[in-house]
Each structure stands twice: as C-alpha cells, then as structure tokens.
Amino acid sequence: MFAAGKIRGIIEGAARQCWKHYLATCHRPNRLSIEAMTERDSTTIQRSYKFRFYPTSVQRQQLAMELGHARWVWNTCLAWRGRQYRLHDKHVGGVDFSRQLTFLKGLGPYAWLKEASATCLIQKLRDQDTAFRNFFAGRAKYPRFKKRTHTQSIRYQLDQRQVAGRYRAGEFLKLPKLGALKLMWSRRPQGVPKMVTVTQDGAGRYFVSFMCEETLQSLPRKPNGIGVDLGISDVVVTSEGWKSGNPRHLKTHARQLRKAQRRLSRKRKGSVRWHHQRIRVAKAHARVSNTRQDWLHKLTTTLIRQAGLIALETLNVRGMMANRCIAKALGDVGMHELKRQLAYKAQWYGRELVQVDRWAPTSKTCSECGAVQKAMPLKVRQWTCPDCQTAHDRDINAAKNILRLTTGGRPESHARGGVHPLEVVA
C-alpha cells in the first residue's frame, strides 16, 4: 500500500510539472500585455448591408422575368460546359458562353433574351466562373442547376457617373428597368455601393444587398480578458461566471413546423395548393433562422463590448455533428456562425480573438491548483478537486482554463475575468 501511494504521488507530481510546462509553452497571441493587444486605430472596411423591399406588381413581373432569364443562362451554360468537356475534352468558361449568348440574341427563337438587363446575365456567368474556381480549389462541390423554388438572385452594376441620381442613403435606390424600390431602411450606410444584388428567397421575400467602404472607430480600450466555453445547455459561459442560456429556436417552433410540413406532405406535388403550402413552410423556417441570427448578433456584440481579449476553445464541430444524439441540438446553436461573427467583429472594433488548442484538457483541469483529473464524463456538471478541495462548475472552470492558456498565466496579465498566476505544487 505504501509503495502504491508513493507511485501515485510521483505520477501526480509529474502531471503537475507537465501542466506547468504546457502553460509556459502554449500559444500566446503575443508577448505584450492585454493593454497593448487592444490598442487599435480606426479601420477601413467593406461593410455589407441587406434591406428588405416590397416591389409593386409591375416590378414583380419584371423581377420574375429577370430572375427567369438569369436562371436559364446559368443552367444552359452549366449544361454546355459539361457537354464540351465530355464530348470534346475542352474547358470553356463564362466568356466563351457570353459570345454564344450574343449570337443567340440575334436569332428569332431567342429574341426574348433581350428583355432582360445584359448586366444581370453577364454577372450570372461570372458567378458561375467563381463557382467552378471554388470547385477546382476544393472549397465547394460541383455547381448545380438552379430551380425556381429555391433562392434566386441577380446583380446590377451601378454606373458611378450617374450614381447620384440612382442612390441616396436612407432615401431611395433606383435600378435599371425597375425604377425606385420601396426599401425598408433600417440603417443609413456611409459609403456608395458599386454593385446591388436583388434576392428572392424561398419564402417569396425580396431583399437588396450591397457593400460600401466605411471607416469604423475602435471601441474604447478595455484592459481585461474573458474566456468563453461553448456548449449546448448554455451556448456561452464566460470565465466571469455569466451564462447565456440556450433559447433553442428550432425546438420553440417545432410544433408549427411539424404541422406545416405534414400539411405539405398531404398535398399533390406541383399543385397550386402545394405551392402555397410550400411557401408557408419556407416562412416558418425563415422565422427560425431570423430569430437565431438576431440572438447570435446580440450575443456576439455583448461579448465584444465586455473585454479587450476574448479566448475561445477550438471545437471539432463537424465531428460533433456526426453524433446523432446531439447533432440536432448542436446545429440549432449555430457555433460556426457564432465564431464567424466574433472573428469579424473583433477585427472591426479592435479586439483580440484567440483560440486554445483543441486537445487542451480545459474541463478536467482544476483552475486553482492545475491538477488534471483522469476522466471527466459529460454528465458531471459539478465537481470538487481532490487536491485543493475547490468546488467547480464544469463550464466556468473550463472558461477560466481557456483564458489562462491564452495569456499563459503571466503575472502582468492580471485582469477581471480570472487571469491569475498559476501556482503549481511540486
């Protein structure tokens, strides 16, 4: 018994020394203090805006024609590319089909192509070139044919010589062959757009989106850091002990979605009532997506305003989605979108966003003494360290360790949020 206890003590001491070495060599954003990390000036960015608009009956007919022509050009060009490669082993692009499109417009059976704006058709060919570049680079799958019932989009180019009479922020926007659009201006952009994209989603709603160059001022500097632990019961848990909870948007609207989809399954596919019910299902899904997006924006903005340094854990979301027991709840959280919003907002407003190593034992490590437990099952939410007898909440303890790893436990990085020097007992 004495020999076994002595061996156990040697093993625990070695584990503490490994933990101390890991803290000393872990990834750090830089060797400056958190105050230096948050020193940023104003930045010039490309900011995107998206507004909903309500077309008139005449504009609706024109948009249906423009979207239909753009969809025909996309599908025809995609089929032509595939045929040229299969039969002649020849690689062709959007420029090659543009010449064919000009020839087709001169033929009688295809004279209807002149009714649409030439800019929209050319931009659709450029979009397909981009889709193929992403496919060959391994970033996307092979481009697919477009359907009328899916989300459709066209892009207009604004002539910068006449843009003053076509666009004024917060007042009006005029597009070729459509005229002035009735936009819901939820905010006033600063810059002037060069391209305007008109989108019709599956629920039949219309949106315009464009990008402007703007200058943003960084938020007031904050010399503190917070660690963020991501989960399902609470989407965000910070090292300060704050928990965001989980609204569970899909579960909230599950009954409405279930009823709408059952009604859709009982109708004959392709009938008028089937199309009407399909739009109702699409609106129900859009409501879930909008509530999730709104909540994530409010959550990420709150985190950005709280601290100058935000430390995140690196999760294998794709691997976690393979677990059918948690895949639905995990997909409803939107972790990838959460990280994406934190990344660009931190860059905009002068914050530092860092991530710890995926294999760091943040959950089963005591944030007070650094003792690493052998195992920590997911069902254990509260635990007490056997070495220092400190009671821990699993998520809060993990958030503290995440912050400690990103700052390296340096004494000069004392900050609100649990950054303390690590004391390792040999």
Side-chain angles (χ1 to χ4, degrees), residues 159-232:
D159 189 353
Q160 298 301 301
R161 296 169 297 180
Q162 304 175 358
V163 71
R166 293 184 176 274
Y167 170 81
R168 189 173 301 167
E171 297 184 16
F172 63 85
L173 173 63
K174 297 179 181 179
L175 295 179
K177 296 189 178 183
L178 290 177
L181 302 180
K182 184 182 178 182
L183 263 67
M184 300 294 103
W185 296 94
S186 56
R187 59 182 65 186
R188 186 183 294 269
Q190 297 180 11
V192 177
K194 296 181 180 179
M195 294 280 188
V196 176
T197 302
V198 177
T199 307
Q200 181 187 14
D201 63 1
R205 303 175 301 174
Y206 294 89
F207 299 91
V208 295
S209 55
F210 50 83
M211 186 178 295
C212 299
E213 184 175 304
E214 296 184 0
T215 301
L216 287 182
Q217 296 293 333
S218 299
L219 291 175
R221 187 164 58 90
K222 284 201 168 188
N224 70 304
I226 58 173
V228 177
D229 180 69
L230 304 179
I232 295 178

Side-chain angles (χ1 to χ4, degrees), residues 53-64 178-182:
F53 75 98
Y54 297 88
T56 62
S57 58
V58 178
Q59 291 175 342
R60 196 182 297 269
Q61 293 178 2
Q62 181 66 25
L63 281 172
L178 290 177
L181 302 180
K182 184 182 178 182

Side-chain angles (χ1 to χ4, degrees), residues 19-51:
W19 174 252
K20 182 178 180 180
H21 175 73
Y22 182 78
L23 286 178
T25 59
C26 65
H27 168 71
R28 302 177 186 178
N30 49 43
R31 292 187 176 275
L32 301 179
S33 62
I34 297 181
E35 289 85 349
M37 293 179 189
T38 56
E39 289 182 358
R40 298 286 183 88
D41 297 328
S42 60
T43 56
T44 301
I45 63 169
Q46 296 288 336
R47 190 168 193 169
S48 299
Y49 291 91
K50 185 177 181 180
F51 303 102

Side-chain angles (χ1 to χ4, degrees), residues 28-272:
R28 302 177 186 178
N30 49 43
R31 292 187 176 275
L32 301 179
S33 62
I34 297 181
E35 289 85 349
M37 293 179 189
T38 56
E39 289 182 358
R40 298 286 183 88
D41 297 328
S42 60
T43 56
T44 301
I45 63 169
Q46 296 288 336
R47 190 168 193 169
S48 299
Y49 291 91
K50 185 177 181 180
F51 303 102
R52 187 175 180 179
F53 75 98
Y54 297 88
T56 62
S57 58
V58 178
Q59 291 175 342
R60 196 182 297 269
Q61 293 178 2
Q62 181 66 25
L63 281 172
M65 185 266 295
E66 297 274 2
L67 292 170
H69 287 31
R71 188 174 61 252
W72 183 89
V73 168
W74 173 282
N75 293 338
T76 306
C77 181
L78 185 59
W80 181 68
R81 281 187 172 193
R83 192 181 307 112
Q84 290 292 322
Y85 179 75
R86 289 192 304 269
L87 299 180
H88 308 288
D89 196 16
K90 184 179 179 181
H91 293 275
V92 293
V95 177
D96 301 315
F97 188 80
S98 179
R99 301 189 187 99
Q100 302 293 330
L101 187 63
T102 304
F103 173 74
L104 290 176
K105 288 181 180 180
L107 301 179
Y110 297 97
W112 49 270
L113 288 171
K114 299 178 182 179
E115 299 174 358
S117 300
T119 304
C120 297
L121 304 183
I122 297 301
Q123 295 297 327
K124 187 60 64 175
L125 294 177
R126 291 180 179 176
D127 290 343
Q128 191 169 114
D129 288 340
T130 303
F132 271 98
R133 282 195 298 269
N134 292 334
F135 166 70
F136 289 121
R139 294 187 296 266
K141 296 182 179 180
Y142 189 83
R144 296 185 297 178
F145 292 98
K146 294 187 177 297
K147 296 182 179 180
R148 182 175 57 183
T149 55
H150 291 178
T151 300
Q152 306 176 76
S153 65
I154 51 177
R155 189 162 62 250
Y156 294 88
Q157 185 174 1
L158 296 182
D159 189 353
Q160 298 301 301
R161 296 169 297 180
Q162 304 175 358
V163 71
R166 293 184 176 274
Y167 170 81
R168 189 173 301 167
E171 297 184 16
F172 63 85
L173 173 63
K174 297 179 181 179
L175 295 179
K177 296 189 178 183
L178 290 177
L181 302 180
K182 184 182 178 182
L183 263 67
M184 300 294 103
W185 296 94
S186 56
R187 59 182 65 186
R188 186 183 294 269
Q190 297 180 11
V192 177
K194 296 181 180 179
M195 294 280 188
V196 176
T197 302
V198 177
T199 307
Q200 181 187 14
D201 63 1
R205 303 175 301 174
Y206 294 89
F207 299 91
V208 295
S209 55
F210 50 83
M211 186 178 295
C212 299
E213 184 175 304
E214 296 184 0
T215 301
L216 287 182
Q217 296 293 333
S218 299
L219 291 175
R221 187 164 58 90
K222 284 201 168 188
N224 70 304
I226 58 173
V228 177
D229 180 69
L230 304 179
I232 295 178
S233 299
D234 295 286
V235 179
V236 166
V237 178
T238 66
S239 55
E240 299 175 348
W242 179 76
K243 297 185 178 182
S244 66
N246 187 355
R248 300 185 185 272
H249 309 280
L250 187 60
K251 186 177 180 180
T252 304
H253 298 85
R255 184 172 180 270
Q256 179 186 2
L257 280 169
R258 188 162 52 247
K259 290 178 62 177
Q261 289 169 342
R262 284 176 179 173
R263 290 177 180 176
L264 179 65
S265 65
R266 297 189 184 105
K267 291 176 171 53
R268 182 170 58 87
K269 188 174 182 178
S271 63
V272 176

